[in-house]
């Protein structure tokens, strides 16, 4: 079987989605999995295993051809067509689009395929998704209460979520040589990824300087390494000099960066491709989720990582707009001394200390622990336990969404029983014993919320039926509205099932 | 009048009507720089038109830098002959054609055949100086940045027409992908071609 995975975004996005490649090999043994990316992403090729052919499009070149009057207007068209026709000649059995952009949708619509997953436009400009999970991604991409990490959505959509996801990335001998040249000792190594792609996501040189100084005071033997790409060398050296940061600056390729992460004892980073790369190494990660970073969707995927995030109504902000605040408040909310203490606690694996820190800073920041739930989802647990109700609701919502999107409620033997067992195990793990005493009350509250919402949905359905029976609502609109209400009612019923199941177990096992 | 001269290091160069067509000191270096400044799409297009044979160095350097077919157009048959005698173009698969008008260019089987696939158009400035209006007509025709030229090239490629009533208006500004977006082909048809045009439109949003 020949599969093409289309990933036409940035390098970090590709890394984030890369476990799907491994999953496809497991689901379709013996298959050839090819990829289509933008040219820059191909820099990862030596590190990625399991890819057959690596196709690329040169986005900048195509844009150049469109923009410059001295280049024939048809050149970009012909070049794109020739490349896509060449790809099409492979006669792929399955084309998967992991890119939720219109450009990728048109490209995938043009490519022939026996089966498809993900966005593809047809010749009538109709967007088709070929999976309720990709439709979910499209419809809820901007929604504030979106519940799934993108990796989970991809895994569910591609039906590879029933096995542990593996990152198919390995450092090579070249990377190892780059790290060897750094001359690191055996003392603990903390790697700091200081630069991000967006100034709003940066913590700032003052903060980094204070962080390094605090870490040095508390753990003088720690080796602190500022990681930068070759193109950032001058910036990194300048930062270290200007901020008087007592740290080694490591200018490494991606290969070298992965090798360094394999050696490191901890990575502290903003929302960067290095963060996603760290999923392929054993290194614990602290993610500083600033600016437009949305940890709910793109947070560090591996379990037992820490995410620090400011409690601000403006966070996360829009990636397309400048900061709306008079100062970089989200960065200021993460105090360097606290982050240094967090670093040491994580190095020691002391989750009690991290939880205590979370409670100390809960007024201005959230400290979250990433988990992989029994129900198969990524989850960020608020260690201050301040939002226990919201966490419980989110855990249940995930199961509800999966049941609805996979159509499990339509099956004769829907797996609610086994799902409830897994959900119960997750609740037991996330809510320590002392909090389970309040669990029944929380579930009662959630049940009342859902029943209230359900009642409103039923009223809306009755009103809608009256409206289209008296033809005050156009038929197409009426059908769409009805479908959405039925969907909401189904989701409410499923949520109630899970709530009642959890409550039953909670009462049995107080 | 065409004069063949010997350069500083013995390499041939040419002067036409008193104007040098390549550096006397380092024609190869000059040619390499000319090529490097224009290298977009070199590895992807099927044909590169060069307007102006000059002293031939830029053509030979271009042929080293690309696997595309190189088609050289010039209006001066004597110059083409003289430069061909100084360099071996055939070994590199370079095609030279003398055209003396826009009509001849449009009628040329070599040009028409080359336009079926993807192409670039590069202009050799010293050559252009000898016939600027003619060269500008050729480059406008081959670059397809007005409706007349674009429709002509598009038809040669065998694609469905942009519009049922072909547009011919020129206007001052060069056509862009935004203009193509407004055609019937993109707005109303069910041709697969429109998916590519819409994809390209997304790249410049």
């Amino acid at each position: 079987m020949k599969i093409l995975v289309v990933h036409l975004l940035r390098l970090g996005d590709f890394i984030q989605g890369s476990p799907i490649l491994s999953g496809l090999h497991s689901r379709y043994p013996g298959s050839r999995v090819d990829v289509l990316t933008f040219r820059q992403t191909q820099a990862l090729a030596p590190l990625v295993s399991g890819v057959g052919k690596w196709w690329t499009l040169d986005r900048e070149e195509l844009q150049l051809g469109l923009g410059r009057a001295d280049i024939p207007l048809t050149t970009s068209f012909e070049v794109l067509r020739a490349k896509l026709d060449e790809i099409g000649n492979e006669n792929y059995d399955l084309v998967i689009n992991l890119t939720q952009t219109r450009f990728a949708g048109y490209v995938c619509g043009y490519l022939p395929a026996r089966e498809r997953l993900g966005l593809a436009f047809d010749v009538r400009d109709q967007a088709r998704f070929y999976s309720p999970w990709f439709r979910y991604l499209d419809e809820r991409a901007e929604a504030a209460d979106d519940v799934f990490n993108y990796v989970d959505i991809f895994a569910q959509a591609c039906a590879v979520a029933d096995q542990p996801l593996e990152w198919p990335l390995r450092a090579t001998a070249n990377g190892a040589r780059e790290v060897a040249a750094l001359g690191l000792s055996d003392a603990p190594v903390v790697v700091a990824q200081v630069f991000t792609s967006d100034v709003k996501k940066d913590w700032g040189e003052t903060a980094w300087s204070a962080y390094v100084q605090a870490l040095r005071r508390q753990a003088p033997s720690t080796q602190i390494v500022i990681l930068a790409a070759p193109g950032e060398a001058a910036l990194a050296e300048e930062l270290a000099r200007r901020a008087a940061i007592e740290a080694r600056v490591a200018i490494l390729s991606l290969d070298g960066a992965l090798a360094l992460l394999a050696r490191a004892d901890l990575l502290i980073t903003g929302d960067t491709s290095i963060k996603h790369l760290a999923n392929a190494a054993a290194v614990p990660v602290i993610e500083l989720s600033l600016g437009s970073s949305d940890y709910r969707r793109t947070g560090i995927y591996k379990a037992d990582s820490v995410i620090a995030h400011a409690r601000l109504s403006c966070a996360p902000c829009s990636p397309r707009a400048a900061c709306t605040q008079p100062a970089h408040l989200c960065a200021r909310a993460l105090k360097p001394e606290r982050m240094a203490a967090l670093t040491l606690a994580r190095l020691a694996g002391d989750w009690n200390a991290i939880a205590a820190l979370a409670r100390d800073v809960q007024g201005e920041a959230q400290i979250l622990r990433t988990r992989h739930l029994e129900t198969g989802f990524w989850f960020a647990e608020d260690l201050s336990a301040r939002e226990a109700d919201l966490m419980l609701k989110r855990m249940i919502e995930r199961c509800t969404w999966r049941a609805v999107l996979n159509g499990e409620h339509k099956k004769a033997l829907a797996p609610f029983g086994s799902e409830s067992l897994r959900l119960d195990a997750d609740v037991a793990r996330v809510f320590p014993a002392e909090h389970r005493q309040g669990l029944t009350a929380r579930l009662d509250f959630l049940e009342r919320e859902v029943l209230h919402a359900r009642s409103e949905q039923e009223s809306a359905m009755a009103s809608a039926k009256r409206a289209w029976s008296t033809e005050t609502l156009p038929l197409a609109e009426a059908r769409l509205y009805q479908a959405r209400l039925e969907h909401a009612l189904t989701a409410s019923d499923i949520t109630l099932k899970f709530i009642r199941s959890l409550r039953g177990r909670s009462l049995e096992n107080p | 009048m065409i004069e063949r001269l010997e350069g500083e290091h013995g390499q041939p160069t040419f002067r036409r009507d008193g104007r040098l067509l390549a550096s006397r000191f380092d024609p190869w270096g000059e040619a390499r720089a000319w090529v490097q400044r224009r290298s977009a799409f070199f590895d992807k297009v099927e044909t590169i038109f060069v307007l102006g044979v000059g002293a031939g160095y830029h053509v030979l350097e271009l042929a080293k830098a690309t696997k595309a077919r190189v088609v050289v157009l010039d209006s001066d048959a004597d110059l083409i002959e003289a430069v061909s005698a100084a360099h071996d173009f055939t070994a590199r698969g370079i095609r030279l054609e003398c055209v003396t008008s826009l009509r001849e260019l449009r009628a040329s089987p070599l040009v028409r055949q080359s336009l079926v696939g993807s192409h670039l158009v590069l202009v050799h400035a010293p050559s252009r100086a000898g016939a600027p209006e003619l060269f500008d007509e050729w480059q406008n025709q081959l670059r397809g940045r007005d409706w007349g030229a674009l429709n002509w090239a598009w038809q040669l490629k065998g694609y469905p027409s942009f519009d049922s009533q072909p547009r011919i208006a020129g206007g001052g500004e060069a056509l862009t992908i935004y203009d193509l977006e407004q055609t019937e082909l993109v707005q109303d048809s069910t041709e697969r071609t429109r998916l590519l045009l819409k994809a390209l439109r997304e790249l410049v949003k």
Side-chain angles (χ1 to χ4, degrees), chain A residues 99-110:
Chain A
T99 325
Q100 199 77 0
T101 66
R102 294 176 69 86
F103 174 76
Y106 286 118
V107 164
C108 289
Y110 184 83

Side-chain angles (χ1 to χ4, degrees), chain A residues 38-39 58-59 61-85 102-103 106-107 109-112 121-125, chain B residues 40-41 43-46 115-121 142-145 150 154 157 159 174-177 180 189-200 202-205:
Chain A
F38 286 130
R39 180 178 53 83
D58 194 325
R59 181 192 177 107
E61 197 174 59
L62 290 172
Q63 287 171 323
L64 191 76
L66 295 171
R68 277 176 42 181
D70 63 332
I71 295 178
L73 187 52
T74 56
T75 299
S76 289
F77 171 85
E78 292 279 21
V79 165
L80 180 61
R81 182 196 57 78
K83 177 58 68 176
L84 295 185
D85 285 349
R102 294 176 69 86
F103 174 76
Y106 286 118
V107 164
Y110 184 83
L111 288 171
F121 286 99
D122 65 19
V123 289
R124 287 179 177 77
D125 236 355
Chain B
F41 290 109
D43 58 338
K44 296 193 179 72
V45 295
E46 291 164 75
L115 283 174
V116 171
S118 53
H119 70 283
L120 288 176
V121 183
L142 294 172
R143 284 178 178 158
R145 289 276 180 170
L150 178 63
W154 196 252
K157 294 176 188 298
Y159 293 125
L175 287 178
T176 67
I177 188 71
L180 302 193
S189 79
T190 55
E191 298 281 350
R192 276 178 82 223
T193 314
R194 69 189 292 268
L195 293 172
L196 297 180
L197 291 166
K198 297 210 85 158
L200 289 170
E202 293 297 325
L203 284 184
V204 294
K205 271 194 172 160

